Amino acid sequence: MKFSLTTLGVSSASPTTDRYPSAHILNICGRLLLIDCGEGCQMLMKRHGISLRKTERVFLSHVHGDHVFGIFGLMSTLSMSGRTEPLHVYAPEAFRSILDFFRGQFLERECYPIVFHPLSSGHPETVMEDGGIKVTAFPLRHRVPTYGYLFREQEPGLNVRKEAVQELSLSVREILSLKDGQDVIRPDGTVLHACSLTYRPYIPRSFAYCSDTAVFESLPDMVRDVDLLYHEATFGDDCAEKAAEMFHSTARQAGETALKAGAGRLVIGHFSSRYKDPAVLLAQAREVFPETELGWEGKEFEVPLKNRF
């Protein structure tokens, strides 16, 4: 029942000697979802023991190079590895021509289906609802069409209370009906109420990804009460004007968004190369939102399972 984010690349624009461009893996119960695919992504995945072949979907925020340059290498390697399962790619409509170019120039034969899901909506939209996971794409505020993503586990199925099974001598048929949320009426007229005999075993977990973006008023509402928030922190307080000019955020602004959203924890990344040590950015974010951590290559942030009782 794992739910975790592994940050692989946390550099903005240009890589540095110890930071790669944007790339992240979200593991939801063994399902691997890649979020952005900067240069060197597949090498980072191999370095940290993350299976390329088991990566089932790719979510690209926008088509700036530091977020997509790694996709050609990844898709080529998947082709050579004998993959046959579809690879679903979610990205702004502008990615279509990039994908067509790749197919025309670098794929002699398409060994596996690449399913493109173009994003063009100006408001939050459900783009995936499958196997207990719901993904919402929402527009961000950047220089080109850009989307954030909200990943939520869906409500788990009902469980029947163990003590009730024995005390009431529940039959298999009765248990199945109760788990479907249906009340059971026994031959003697006794009513077994599903609402009192069942429970949902855990609270669904959530993660939101916001990069690249300037701050804007409605963003906290789009990621309201998220357990784990990744938010770009390209600049520090010393470059607040540049952040606004470039449609990026400061570390402090990332903290303010997390605070307003009621997030559980904040991970910051997408650091400008001017900051040799991003500890200064961490300090500024923590002044506003203490539950802030630095994204770093190979660092895993797990969201623990919370039982309802």
Side-chain angles (χ1 to χ4, degrees):
M1 296 294 288
K2 191 171 195 176
F3 191 113
S4 67
L5 173 74
T6 300
T7 53
L8 296 172
V10 294
S11 182
S12 71
S14 301
T16 68
T17 56
D18 60 352
R19 296 200 297 264
Y20 285 77
S22 295
H24 316 272
I25 286 286
L26 184 64
N27 182 337
I28 303 181
C29 300
R31 299 180 66 179
L32 302 184
L33 311 176
L34 175 62
I35 308 170
D36 277 339
C37 190
E39 181 182 355
C41 175
Q42 64 171 324
M43 292 185 289
L44 291 170
M45 292 173 67
K46 290 183 176 183
R47 182 183 299 169
H48 295 284
I50 298 168
S51 173
L52 273 66
R53 290 191 63 174
K54 290 183 179 178
T55 302
E56 64 175 70
R57 297 172 191 262
V58 180
F59 297 85
L60 301 176
S61 59
H62 60 299
V63 295
H64 278 166
D66 56 326
H67 293 256
V68 301
F69 280 162
I71 195 73
F72 284 10
L74 175 65
M75 291 192 297
S76 294
T77 299
L78 290 177
S79 180
M80 291 186 289
S81 71
R83 181 188 179 109
T84 57
E85 300 84 4
L87 179 69
H88 293 264
V89 180
Y90 302 78
E93 174 64 38
F95 184 71
R96 187 187 299 276
S97 60
I98 298 173
L99 182 58
D100 289 343
F101 173 78
F102 169 77
R103 282 173 160 154
Q105 297 295 321
F106 298 106
L107 277 189
E108 295 181 6
R109 59 189 181 91
E110 196 162 301
C111 302
Y112 61 96
I114 301 173
V115 184
F116 178 46
H117 302 265
L119 307 178
S120 58
S121 176
H123 54 80
E125 179 182 21
T126 299
V127 295
M128 171 191 161
E129 202 162 0
D130 172 64
I133 304 172
K134 179 179 179 180
V135 183
T136 301
F138 52 92
L140 295 175
R141 188 166 177 256
H142 196 44
R143 302 192 306 278
V144 298
T146 304
Y147 290 85
Y149 295 98
L150 173 61
F151 302 81
R152 288 193 185 276
E153 288 182 316
Q154 295 181 315
E155 283 283 355
L158 293 170
N159 282 355
V160 177
R161 299 182 185 277
K162 290 183 179 179
E163 63 273 16
V165 175
Q166 294 181 340
E167 292 174 3
L168 299 172
S169 300
L170 297 175
S171 68
V172 173
R173 182 186 63 80
E174 290 173 333
I175 291 173
L176 292 176
S177 294
L178 291 169
K179 290 181 73 172
D180 283 338
Q182 301 175 13
D183 294 341
V184 172
I185 302 177
R186 286 181 159 175
D188 63 0
T190 303
V191 179
L192 305 178
H193 295 283
C195 62
S196 60
L197 298 177
T198 62
Y199 66 99
R200 297 196 185 274
Y202 61 88
I203 300 172
R205 294 163 290 184
S206 57
F207 165 71
Y209 181 79
C210 299
S211 184
D212 296 358
T213 187
V215 293
F216 56 100
E217 186 177 357
S218 60
L219 180 55
D221 288 332
M222 294 179 183
V223 296
R224 178 69 56 197
D225 297 327
V226 71
D227 292 310
L228 182 65
L229 171 64
Y230 178 95
H231 197 292
E232 71 133 288
T234 307
F235 298 107
D237 292 344
D238 58 315
C239 291
E241 290 186 6
K242 186 172 183 63
E245 176 188 344
M246 302 297 292
F247 289 87
H248 280 296
S249 298
T250 67
R252 186 176 303 277
Q253 289 170 331
E256 289 169 349
T257 297
L259 181 66
K260 292 175 182 177
R265 293 158 63 199
L266 169 65
V267 177
I268 56 173
H270 200 263
F271 310 125
S272 168
S273 59
R274 73 182 59 218
Y275 300 99
K276 304 304 179 185
D277 183 358
V280 63
L281 302 176
L282 177 63
Q284 290 172 9
R286 281 183 171 174
E287 287 180 13
V288 181
F289 191 78
E291 296 301 317
T292 303
E293 300 174 69
L294 281 179
W296 208 255
E297 182 192 321
K299 190 169 182 179
E300 184 178 35
F301 303 89
E302 187 161 1
V303 180
L305 197 64
K306 296 180 181 178
N307 295 325
R308 292 188 183 272
F309 301 100

